[in-house]
Amino acid sequence: MKFAQLFLILAIASTVNAQEAADPVTERTSIISEWALTLLEIERCLPESDVCGIELYIQGPKEKHQLGANLTGPFFPLLKAKKIFACENNDVMETKGPELIDLNGNQTLLQPHPGYLRDCSLVGTGEEVLMHYSLVDTKPFNLIRIFSSNGEILLEKRMDSEGVVEFTLLGQSYQVLVPAPEWPG
């Protein structure tokens, strides 16, 4: 009986080691020709889980250095500002809010997430980021925030139905269609 127990323990240990070796890792690269750099995202997830963290690197011809760890993304390079906007999606992980990351890895936490982040995208000149949140009062509503490349909120608007958000930058008008509110999650 002791031999069977030892065999079972060894079988479990080898299964655990094989699973650890097969931890889900995803690598994504984005070439940013304007900076002559590559943005590298290495996502590591706990086995059989939605719990993931991203290590963010910037790589030049001769060097590679880390900009951040345990991030959730998605990430948008703000080309003129030479910064990375990290939306810090909060659907699975409890992130505090979006971050601006400079090319030296200095991170600045922006206005905290007011609720479930539904969408994050570049708008306007491509240096502005729209954050679309799903919130609930007595019924669902949208909260829209548009951030500038230096982290300031250019616009914040509650929307109880679908519609168009309009904003102006440097004399140029922009419009973004926002879908109907949904329950968070």
Side-chain angles (χ1 to χ4, degrees):
M1 194 71 159
K2 289 192 178 216
F3 178 76
Q5 289 173 334
L6 178 61
F7 179 78
L8 182 60
I9 290 170
L10 289 173
I12 291 171
S14 68
T15 302
V16 168
N17 286 339
Q19 286 176 343
E20 287 175 358
D23 283 352
V25 175
T26 305
E27 290 189 19
R28 289 181 288 280
T29 58
S30 304
I31 297 171
I32 306 170
S33 56
E34 292 86 346
W35 298 346
L37 297 170
T38 300
L39 189 65
L40 173 63
E41 301 172 38
I42 300 174
E43 181 179 54
R44 299 179 195 283
C45 299
L46 292 177
E48 300 181 33
S49 168
D50 288 338
V51 176
C52 300
I54 298 174
E55 298 167 16
L56 189 65
Y57 294 88
I58 201 83
Q59 185 169 359
K62 296 181 182 178
E63 61 186 47
K64 170 181 160 184
H65 68 275
Q66 189 174 48
L67 298 179
N70 294 318
L71 299 167
T72 62
F75 307 101
F76 296 109
L78 304 176
L79 301 177
K80 293 177 188 170
K82 291 197 174 183
K83 295 178 184 176
I84 307 293
F85 192 98
C87 298
E88 293 308 276
N89 195 344
N90 62 355
D91 59 350
V92 175
M93 305 295 285
E94 293 184 22
T95 59
K96 293 183 182 183
E99 296 186 27
L100 270 181
I101 305 170
D102 70 19
L103 299 184
N104 293 318
N106 298 311
Q107 298 178 5
T108 304
L109 181 64
L110 303 179
Q111 187 75 22
H113 292 308
Y116 174 75
L117 179 62
R118 185 169 165 192
D119 190 23
C120 183
S121 58
L122 289 174
V123 294
T125 67
E127 293 284 306
E128 297 77 37
V129 179
L130 178 134
M131 307 287 286
H132 174 188
Y133 295 98
S134 287
L135 302 171
V136 176
D137 195 345
T138 55
K139 62 180 186 170
F141 67 93
N142 293 321
L143 179 71
I144 303 301
R145 285 185 179 158
I146 297 179
F147 285 89
S148 71
S149 62
N150 62 5
E152 292 177 39
I153 294 178
L154 300 173
L155 176 125
E156 183 169 286
K157 183 175 183 177
R158 176 185 169 137
M159 299 180 70
D160 293 318
S161 62
E162 69 181 41
V164 174
V165 172
E166 295 183 40
F167 62 102
T168 303
L169 293 169
L170 305 170
Q172 177 72 35
S173 294
Y174 298 94
Q175 296 182 342
V176 179
L177 179 62
V178 177
E182 293 180 357
W183 289 95

